[in-house]
Coordinates of all heavy atoms in Angstrom, one line a residue:
S235 N -119.2 -60.3 -12.7 CA -120.5 -60.6 -12.3 C -121.0 -61.8 -13.1 O -121.7 -62.7 -12.5 CB -121.5 -59.5 -12.6 OG -121.2 -58.4 -11.8
D236 N -120.8 -61.9 -14.4 CA -121.2 -63.0 -15.2 C -120.6 -64.3 -14.7 O -121.2 -65.3 -14.6 CB -120.9 -62.8 -16.7 CG -121.8 -61.7 -17.3 OD1 -122.7 -61.3 -16.6 OD2 -121.4 -61.2 -18.4
V237 N -119.2 -64.2 -14.5 CA -118.4 -65.4 -14.1 C -119.0 -65.9 -12.8 O -119.1 -67.1 -12.6 CB -116.9 -65.0 -14.0 CG1 -116.1 -66.0 -13.3 CG2 -116.4 -64.7 -15.4
I238 N -119.2 -65.0 -11.9 CA -119.6 -65.3 -10.5 C -121.0 -66.0 -10.5 O -121.3 -67.0 -9.9 CB -119.5 -64.1 -9.6 CG1 -118.1 -63.9 -9.3 CG2 -120.4 -64.2 -8.4 CD1 -117.8 -62.5 -8.9
A239 N -121.9 -65.4 -11.3 CA -123.3 -65.9 -11.4 C -123.3 -67.3 -12.0 O -124.0 -68.2 -11.4 CB -124.1 -64.9 -12.3
K240 N -122.5 -67.5 -13.0 CA -122.4 -68.8 -13.6 C -121.9 -69.9 -12.7 O -122.3 -71.0 -12.7 CB -121.4 -68.7 -14.8 CG -121.8 -69.5 -16.0 CD -121.1 -69.2 -17.3 CE -119.6 -69.1 -17.1 NZ -118.8 -68.8 -18.2
A241 N -121.0 -69.5 -11.8 CA -120.4 -70.4 -10.9 C -121.2 -70.6 -9.6 O -121.0 -71.5 -8.8 CB -119.0 -69.9 -10.4
G242 N -122.3 -69.8 -9.5 CA -123.2 -70.0 -8.3 C -122.5 -69.6 -7.0 O -122.8 -70.2 -6.0
V243 N -121.6 -68.6 -7.1 CA -120.9 -68.2 -5.9 C -121.8 -67.5 -4.9 O -122.7 -66.8 -5.2 CB -119.7 -67.2 -6.4 CG1 -119.3 -66.3 -5.2 CG2 -118.6 -68.0 -6.9
R244 N -121.5 -67.8 -3.6 CA -122.3 -67.3 -2.5 C -122.3 -65.8 -2.4 O -123.3 -65.1 -2.3 CB -121.7 -67.9 -1.2 CG -122.1 -67.3 0.1 CD -121.4 -68.1 1.3 NE -120.0 -68.1 1.3 CZ -119.2 -67.1 1.8 NH1 -119.8 -66.0 2.2 NH2 -117.9 -67.1 1.8
E245 N -121.1 -65.2 -2.5 CA -120.9 -63.7 -2.3 C -119.6 -63.2 -2.9 O -118.6 -64.0 -2.9 CB -120.9 -63.4 -0.8 CG -120.9 -61.9 -0.5 CD -120.8 -61.6 1.0 OE1 -120.4 -62.5 1.8 OE2 -121.1 -60.5 1.4
A246 N -119.7 -62.0 -3.5 CA -118.4 -61.4 -4.0 C -118.5 -59.9 -3.7 O -119.6 -59.3 -3.9 CB -118.3 -61.6 -5.5
L247 N -117.4 -59.4 -3.2 CA -117.4 -58.0 -2.8 C -116.4 -57.2 -3.6 O -115.4 -57.8 -4.0 CB -117.0 -57.9 -1.3 CG -117.9 -58.5 -0.3 CD1 -117.2 -58.6 1.1 CD2 -119.1 -57.6 -0.1
C248 N -116.6 -55.9 -3.8 CA -115.6 -55.0 -4.4 C -115.3 -53.9 -3.4 O -116.3 -53.3 -2.9 CB -116.0 -54.4 -5.7 SG -117.2 -55.1 -6.6
F249 N -114.1 -53.7 -3.2 CA -113.6 -52.6 -2.4 C -112.8 -51.7 -3.2 O -111.9 -52.2 -4.0 CB -112.7 -53.1 -1.2 CG -113.4 -54.1 -0.3 CD1 -112.8 -55.4 -0.2 CD2 -114.5 -53.8 0.4 CE1 -113.4 -56.3 0.6 CE2 -115.1 -54.8 1.2 CZ -114.6 -56.0 1.3
E250 N -113.0 -50.4 -3.1 CA -112.1 -49.4 -3.8 C -111.6 -48.4 -2.9 O -112.3 -48.0 -1.9 CB -112.9 -48.7 -4.9 CG -113.4 -49.6 -6.0 CD -114.2 -48.8 -7.1 OE1 -114.3 -47.5 -7.0 OE2 -114.7 -49.4 -8.0
L251 N -110.3 -48.0 -3.1 CA -109.7 -46.9 -2.3 C -109.0 -46.0 -3.3 O -108.3 -46.4 -4.2 CB -108.7 -47.5 -1.4 CG -107.8 -46.5 -0.6 CD1 -108.7 -45.8 0.5 CD2 -106.6 -47.1 0.0
W252 N -109.3 -44.7 -3.2 CA -108.5 -43.7 -4.0 C -107.9 -42.7 -3.1 O -108.4 -42.4 -2.0 CB -109.3 -43.2 -5.1 CG -110.6 -42.5 -4.7 CD1 -110.8 -41.2 -4.4 CD2 -111.9 -43.1 -4.6 NE1 -112.1 -40.9 -4.1 CE2 -112.8 -42.1 -4.2 CE3 -112.4 -44.4 -4.7 CZ2 -114.2 -42.4 -4.0 CZ3 -113.7 -44.7 -4.5 CH2 -114.6 -43.7 -4.1
I253 N -106.8 -42.1 -3.5 CA -106.1 -41.1 -2.7 C -106.0 -39.7 -3.4 O -105.5 -38.8 -2.8 CB -104.7 -41.6 -2.3 CG1 -103.9 -41.9 -3.6 CG2 -104.8 -42.8 -1.4 CD1 -102.4 -42.0 -3.3
D254 N -106.5 -39.7 -4.7 CA -106.3 -38.4 -5.4 C -107.2 -38.6 -6.7 O -107.8 -39.6 -6.9 CB -104.8 -38.3 -5.9 CG -104.5 -36.8 -6.2 OD1 -105.4 -36.0 -6.3 OD2 -103.3 -36.5 -6.4
D255 N -107.2 -37.5 -7.5 CA -108.0 -37.6 -8.8 C -107.3 -38.7 -9.7 O -106.1 -38.9 -9.6 CB -107.9 -36.3 -9.5 CG -108.6 -35.2 -8.8 OD1 -109.6 -35.5 -8.0 OD2 -108.2 -34.0 -8.9
I256 N -108.2 -39.3 -10.5 CA -107.6 -40.4 -11.3 C -107.6 -39.9 -12.8 O -108.4 -39.0 -13.2 CB -108.4 -41.7 -11.2 CG1 -109.8 -41.6 -11.7 CG2 -108.3 -42.2 -9.8 CD1 -110.4 -43.0 -12.0
G257 N -106.8 -40.6 -13.6 CA -106.8 -40.3 -15.0 C -105.8 -41.1 -15.7 O -104.8 -41.6 -15.1
P258 N -106.0 -41.4 -17.0 CA -105.1 -42.4 -17.7 C -103.6 -41.9 -17.7 O -102.7 -42.7 -17.7 CB -105.6 -42.4 -19.1 CG -106.7 -41.4 -19.2 CD -107.0 -40.9 -17.9
D259 N -103.4 -40.6 -17.7 CA -102.0 -40.1 -17.7 C -101.5 -39.6 -16.4 O -100.4 -39.0 -16.3 CB -101.9 -38.9 -18.8 CG -102.4 -39.4 -20.1 OD1 -102.0 -40.5 -20.5 OD2 -103.1 -38.6 -20.8
R260 N -102.3 -39.8 -15.3 CA -101.8 -39.4 -14.0 C -101.2 -40.6 -13.3 O -101.4 -41.7 -13.7 CB -103.0 -38.9 -13.2 CG -103.7 -37.6 -13.7 CD -104.9 -37.3 -12.9 NE -104.5 -37.0 -11.5 CZ -104.3 -35.8 -11.1 NH1 -104.3 -34.7 -11.9 NH2 -103.9 -35.6 -9.8
P261 N -100.4 -40.4 -12.3 CA -99.8 -41.5 -11.5 C -101.0 -42.3 -10.9 O -102.1 -41.7 -10.6 CB -99.0 -40.8 -10.4 CG -98.8 -39.4 -10.8 CD -99.9 -39.0 -11.8
L262 N -100.8 -43.5 -10.6 CA -101.8 -44.4 -10.0 C -102.3 -43.7 -8.7 O -101.5 -43.5 -7.8 CB -101.3 -45.8 -9.7 CG -102.3 -46.7 -9.1 CD1 -103.3 -47.1 -10.2 CD2 -101.6 -48.0 -8.6
A263 N -103.6 -43.5 -8.6 CA -104.2 -42.9 -7.4 C -105.4 -43.6 -6.9 O -106.0 -43.2 -5.9 CB -104.6 -41.5 -7.7
A264 N -105.8 -44.7 -7.6 CA -107.0 -45.5 -7.1 C -106.8 -47.0 -7.5 O -106.1 -47.3 -8.5 CB -108.2 -45.0 -7.8
N265 N -107.3 -47.8 -6.6 CA -107.2 -49.2 -6.8 C -108.4 -50.0 -6.2 O -109.1 -49.4 -5.4 CB -105.9 -49.8 -6.4 CG -105.7 -49.8 -4.9 OD1 -105.0 -50.6 -4.3 ND2 -106.3 -48.9 -4.1
G266 N -108.5 -51.2 -6.6 CA -109.6 -52.0 -6.1 C -109.3 -53.4 -5.8 O -108.3 -53.9 -6.3
L267 N -110.2 -54.1 -5.1 CA -110.1 -55.5 -4.9 C -111.4 -56.1 -5.1 O -112.5 -55.6 -4.7 CB -109.7 -55.8 -3.4 CG -108.3 -55.3 -2.9 CD1 -108.3 -55.4 -1.4 CD2 -107.2 -56.2 -3.5
V268 N -111.5 -57.3 -5.8 CA -112.7 -58.1 -5.8 C -112.3 -59.3 -4.9 O -111.3 -59.9 -5.1 CB -113.0 -58.5 -7.2 CG1 -114.0 -59.7 -7.2 CG2 -113.6 -57.4 -8.0
V269 N -113.2 -59.6 -4.0 CA -113.0 -60.8 -3.1 C -114.2 -61.7 -3.3 O -115.4 -61.3 -3.0 CB -112.8 -60.4 -1.6 CG1 -112.5 -61.6 -0.8 CG2 -111.7 -59.4 -1.5
I270 N -114.0 -62.9 -3.8 CA -115.0 -63.9 -4.1 C -115.0 -64.8 -2.9 O -113.9 -65.2 -2.4 CB -114.7 -64.6 -5.4 CG1 -114.6 -63.6 -6.6 CG2 -115.7 -65.7 -5.7 CD1 -114.1 -64.2 -7.9
N271 N -116.2 -65.2 -2.4 CA -116.3 -66.0 -1.2 C -115.5 -65.5 -0.1 O -114.7 -66.1 0.5 CB -115.9 -67.5 -1.5 CG -116.7 -68.2 -2.5 OD1 -117.9 -68.1 -2.5 ND2 -116.1 -69.0 -3.4
P272 N -115.8 -64.2 0.3 CA -115.0 -63.6 1.4 C -115.4 -64.2 2.7 O -116.6 -64.8 2.9 CB -115.5 -62.1 1.4 CG -116.9 -62.2 0.8 CD -116.9 -63.3 -0.2
P273 N -114.5 -64.2 3.7 CA -115.0 -64.5 5.1 C -116.2 -63.7 5.4 O -116.3 -62.5 5.0 CB -113.8 -64.1 6.0 CG -112.6 -64.1 5.0 CD -113.1 -63.8 3.7
Y274 N -117.1 -64.2 6.2 CA -118.4 -63.5 6.4 C -118.1 -62.2 7.2 O -119.0 -61.2 7.1 CB -119.4 -64.4 7.1 CG -119.2 -64.6 8.6 CD1 -119.9 -63.8 9.5 CD2 -118.3 -65.5 9.1 CE1 -119.6 -63.9 10.9 CE2 -118.0 -65.6 10.4 CZ -118.7 -64.9 11.3 OH -118.4 -65.0 12.6
V275 N -117.0 -62.0 7.9 CA -116.7 -60.8 8.7 C -116.1 -59.7 7.8 O -115.9 -58.6 8.3 CB -115.8 -61.1 9.9 CG1 -116.6 -61.9 11.0 CG2 -114.6 -61.9 9.5
L276 N -115.6 -60.1 6.6 CA -114.7 -59.1 5.9 C -115.4 -57.9 5.5 O -114.8 -56.8 5.6 CB -114.1 -59.9 4.7 CG -113.0 -59.1 4.0 CD1 -111.7 -59.2 4.9 CD2 -112.7 -59.6 2.6
D277 N -116.6 -58.0 5.0 CA -117.4 -56.8 4.6 C -117.4 -55.7 5.7 O -117.0 -54.6 5.5 CB -118.8 -57.2 4.3 CG -119.6 -56.1 3.6 OD1 -119.1 -55.0 3.4 OD2 -120.8 -56.3 3.3
A278 N -117.8 -56.1 6.9 CA -117.9 -55.2 8.0 C -116.5 -54.7 8.4 O -116.3 -53.5 8.7 CB -118.5 -55.8 9.2
Q279 N -115.5 -55.5 8.4 CA -114.1 -55.1 8.8 C -113.6 -54.1 7.8 O -113.0 -53.1 8.2 CB -113.2 -56.4 8.7 CG -113.4 -57.3 9.9 CD -112.5 -58.6 9.8 OE1 -112.2 -59.0 8.7 NE2 -112.2 -59.1 10.9

Side-chain angles (χ1 to χ4, degrees):
S235 293
D236 290 347
V237 165
I238 283 157
K240 216 165 51 181
V243 156
R244 164 179 64 80
E245 187 182 15
L247 295 166
C248 336
F249 303 119
E250 294 183 2
L251 172 73
W252 57 92
I253 57 165
D254 202 349
D255 295 333
I256 66 165
D259 302 321
R260 294 176 63 93
L262 181 70
N265 71 150
L267 293 170
V268 165
V269 185
I270 301 170
N271 294 320
Y274 77 97
V275 286
L276 193 71
D277 188 2
Q279 290 177 327

